[in-house]
Amino acid sequence: MGKEATKEKHPKGFYACCITFTFERLAFYGAKPLLLLFLITAATQGGLGIERTDAAVMAANLTAYTYMAPLIGGIISDRWLGARYAVTLGYIIMALGYLVGWKATNPGMVNAMIILVSIGTGLFKGNLNALIGRQYKNKELLDAAFSIQYSYVNVGAFIGSLLTGFLYLHAFKKGEVLGFRQCFFVAAIWCLVGMVWFVLNWKNLQGQGIKPFKYLTDENGKVIGETHKGDDKSGAKEPLTKLERNRVLAIILVSALSVIFWLFYYQQDLALVIYMTDYINMNLGSFAIAPSWITTTWNGLLCVALGGVMAAIWKKLAARPQGDMNMFKKVGLGFLFVGLAFGVMALCEMLRGVGADASVKASVLWPVLFSTVITIGEMCFSPLRNAFVSKYAPKKYLSLLMGVIAISTFGANKLSPFVQAFIEKFDVFPVFVGIFAIMLIFTAVLFATNKKLNSLVEGEEE
């Protein structure tokens, strides 16, 4: 694509969808950080007072199942519902879930909240991403678009967690009773506000999402054709072309690479937090710094700040005569920066003194640098997965394949504790060096094979 193509503006519906995502993230990240605390806090202090091991499993399920559910939500949208209706219904179900959490007095009600929020997210997340992709005629803009969208997502995540952190400790606290439940009510309100915003912006979606994505529609939502002419009322469907099958394979491959990427990325929430607790001076003067402020808050702020920067980089590269970097090279960059981040911590441990006891502390600036580097890797990879699916998924499976991308994160969440249990058998230094080496090997393999891998998505339709 040349320079003229990249001067095109993003459609109004794109920004409407981005803000729709922000409201959902306000709700999710307003509720998610409080769930474990709500479960383990004594009933006299506003919690449920259940065992920590049980609480940890329940809290992990909220994250894991909200990444698995979009696979099912994609099937429902692709076959019957249409994306705009799936997103709207998803918002309603999520709001109901948070309202159940507001009234929860036992673990069963919390599980009901988790189920409802997961079902709602399944209808919401992949289908909203698919709606964004469907609004672009120039697919070269999609990497920039989803980088911008990632900033909107992280604005919601940052503000949501920051706000409810204040509300449950201060504004909603009554005596010794903390305001967990009221924060779940606030999350429900965010969902309902987001739903109203989204419905009011249906008119800006260029007619997309009224019908399942196998149908081609004009800007008024009227069917003007089908992506597969052989579909009929009897349910017989024309098979995918060879190119389409290859593209589905490429999307599945990127999803598999996502599992590996997130598996090591999430070790910052386990291995790095343990290291910070034991070996990092977590104070600036007399001011104590929570580990989560580095792994979550700082990460969220960087994602917001880098969204526009990364969008400009991808747009600049797309304007070159040879075009943008292909997706597999960008995946390689993501792996590279994750590896370099753990290389930073290996260097930190070397300077602290490998194997030195916990009385020898390293500066908090080391994990800050780690978080900065790993977030750059995240921005090279995570938002672009959705752009990749939007570009290359067969249209009648668009929402479904958005769900396949999301389910890779579910897999990483479920596998991560097993990885942590394995690496706990070793000292921290070989763990950091090992992850650094593994990610660099993956980077080298991806760059060496990127032409062959990219050939799966290139070519002419039959």
Side-chain angles (χ1 to χ4, degrees), residues 10 93 121 213 257 318 335 389 431 451 453 456:
H10 298 287
I93 295 173
T121 305
F213 284 135
L257 290 168
F335 277 62
V389 176
V431 167
K451 288 184 179 180
L453 293 171
L456 291 171

Side-chain angles (χ1 to χ4, degrees), residues 35-341:
L35 181 56
L36 181 62
L37 294 173
F38 174 55
L39 291 169
I40 65 176
T41 299
T44 55
Q45 295 179 295
L48 295 183
I50 71 173
E51 290 292 329
R52 293 194 172 202
T53 51
D54 296 332
V57 172
M58 292 172 66
N61 283 341
L62 177 63
T63 301
Y65 293 131
T66 53
Y67 280 105
M68 182 183 72
L71 182 65
I72 300 170
I75 294 172
I76 293 171
S77 177
D78 280 338
R79 291 190 178 182
W80 302 293
L81 199 56
R84 68 170 62 182
Y85 305 115
V87 169
T88 305
L89 180 60
Y91 251 145
I92 294 170
I93 295 173
M94 284 187 285
L96 289 174
Y98 291 126
L99 288 174
V100 170
W102 172 42
K103 292 296 184 180
T105 57
N106 55 66
M109 293 183 73
V110 174
N111 281 326
M113 179 188 78
I114 291 169
I115 291 168
L116 288 168
V117 171
S118 298
I119 292 171
T121 305
L123 290 167
F124 177 91
K125 187 180 288 184
N127 294 311
L128 188 56
N129 281 325
L131 266 176
I132 289 174
R134 193 63 181 263
Q135 293 177 67
Y136 283 82
K137 294 179 181 178
N138 177 10
K139 301 302 181 183
E140 294 298 324
L141 288 173
L142 283 174
D143 281 2
F146 278 103
S147 292
I148 294 170
Q149 179 247 25
Y150 209 63
S151 289
Y152 280 85
V153 165
N154 281 282
V155 165
F158 173 71
I159 295 176
S161 59
L162 191 66
L163 180 62
T164 55
F166 170 78
L167 291 176
Y168 95 93
L169 278 174
H170 300 285
F172 294 150
K173 183 180 179 183
K174 292 184 178 180
E176 295 298 314
V177 179
L178 298 169
F180 296 114
R181 289 184 176 86
Q182 295 93 324
C183 289
F184 294 136
F185 178 79
V186 170
I189 295 300
W190 284 128
C191 286
L192 294 175
V193 172
M195 181 199 69
V196 172
W197 164 265
F198 180 66
V199 171
L200 290 176
N201 278 279
W202 279 4
K203 63 182 181 293
N204 293 319
L205 299 179
Q206 302 178 37
Q208 299 302 318
I210 296 175
K211 295 285 187 180
F213 284 135
K214 68 178 182 179
Y215 295 104
L216 299 174
T217 55
D218 62 18
E219 293 194 1
N220 295 315
K222 294 181 180 179
V223 176
I224 56 176
E226 296 182 45
T227 58
H228 285 259
K229 304 293 185 181
D231 292 6
D232 58 33
K233 293 183 180 179
S234 69
K237 297 183 182 297
E238 181 179 308
L240 297 177
T241 66
K242 181 180 178 181
L243 179 59
E244 287 174 325
R245 291 195 300 272
N246 285 342
R247 287 176 171 177
V248 170
L249 177 61
I251 290 168
I252 292 172
L253 180 56
V254 169
S255 299
L257 290 168
S258 296
V259 175
I260 299 167
F261 177 89
W262 293 117
L263 197 57
F264 290 105
Y265 177 92
Y266 286 140
Q267 291 310 310
Q268 67 175 315
D269 295 326
L270 299 171
L272 181 68
V273 168
I274 292 170
Y275 184 82
M276 285 192 285
T277 301
D278 292 340
Y279 302 120
I280 296 292
N281 179 9
M282 298 297 291
N283 294 285
L284 288 177
S286 60
F287 184 74
I289 299 171
S292 63
W293 290 355
I294 295 173
T295 60
T296 304
T297 305
W298 177 239
N299 169 266
L301 285 172
L302 284 174
C303 286
V304 173
L306 289 173
V309 174
M310 300 304 290
I313 290 172
W314 306 139
K315 197 171 182 179
K316 183 83 171 176
L317 290 175
R320 301 181 304 172
Q322 67 270 40
D324 198 358
M325 296 172 63
N326 67 55
M327 182 61 183
F328 293 99
K329 280 187 176 180
K330 290 176 181 178
V331 173
L333 284 178
F335 277 62
L336 173 63
F337 280 104
V338 171
L340 291 176

Side-chain angles (χ1 to χ4, degrees), residues 20-39:
T20 301
F21 255 121
T22 300
F23 282 117
E24 184 269 339
R25 293 288 87 179
L26 281 167
F28 185 78
Y29 278 97
K32 175 179 174 285
L34 302 186
L35 181 56
L36 181 62
L37 294 173
F38 174 55
L39 291 169

Side-chain angles (χ1 to χ4, degrees), residues 370-434:
F370 168 95
S371 184
T372 303
V373 175
I374 205 170
T375 301
I376 294 172
E378 178 185 355
M379 294 301 294
C380 286
F381 177 50
S382 184
L384 306 185
R385 297 178 302 162
N386 295 324
F388 185 70
V389 176
S390 293
K391 287 179 186 177
Y392 297 118
K395 299 309 178 189
K396 66 177 181 177
Y397 297 131
L398 178 56
S399 292
L400 172 61
L401 289 169
M402 282 290 186
V404 170
I405 283 288
I407 204 172
S408 64
T409 311
F410 164 80
N413 271 287
K414 283 297 188 182
L415 289 172
S416 190
F418 296 101
V419 174
Q420 172 60 20
F422 176 75
I423 66 177
E424 279 183 353
K425 299 176 182 178
F426 303 93
D427 293 332
V428 291
F429 182 70
V431 167
F432 291 151
V433 172

